Amino acid sequence: MKVVTSVVNNPTFIEIQYHCLKKHLHCDFEYIVFNDAKDFPDFTNNNDPTMPKQIEDVCAKLGVKCIRIHNAHHRIIDWAS
């Protein structure tokens, strides 16, 4: 079984969900995280550009597959320049 989740700026959620899945799923499963955290200061990541790395570190610690979604599409384009 595969369990897929999208995590935006919340490494704690990964740990909570992982341990909940381990407790309640009585079968083998693969937990896959799509990491869409912003790598630049923004209010959604509390101005912390290290958020993607924090999520990757939590996934590595838990042995969870982490797929990084690069987020150039999040950046605001300055059309005036």
Side-chain angles (χ1 to χ4, degrees):
M1 173 190 305
K2 294 184 188 292
V3 178
V4 179
T5 191
S6 175
V7 177
V8 180
N9 304 321
N10 194 345
T12 305
F13 172 79
I14 298 166
E15 289 192 73
I16 292 169
Q17 189 172 52
Y18 175 79
H19 291 296
C20 186
L21 291 168
K22 294 272 293 182
K23 181 178 179 180
H24 295 288
L25 289 180
H26 302 288
C27 62
D28 290 334
F29 67 91
E30 179 182 16
Y31 182 37
I32 303 168
V33 171
F34 285 88
N35 180 358
D36 189 27
K38 293 176 182 168
D39 59 0
F40 54 91
D42 185 74
F43 75 95
T44 63
N45 64 3
N46 295 319
N47 294 313
D48 185 353
T50 68
M51 194 59 65
K53 177 76 169 114
Q54 291 179 45
I55 291 171
E56 290 169 3
D57 290 346
V58 167
C59 289
K61 180 179 86 171
L62 298 172
V64 171
K65 184 175 183 175
C66 184
I67 299 171
R68 179 78 172 104
I69 308 292
H70 291 283
N71 49 33
H73 61 279
H74 286 302
R75 294 190 185 271
I76 297 173
I77 298 172
D78 183 5
W79 295 101
S81 52

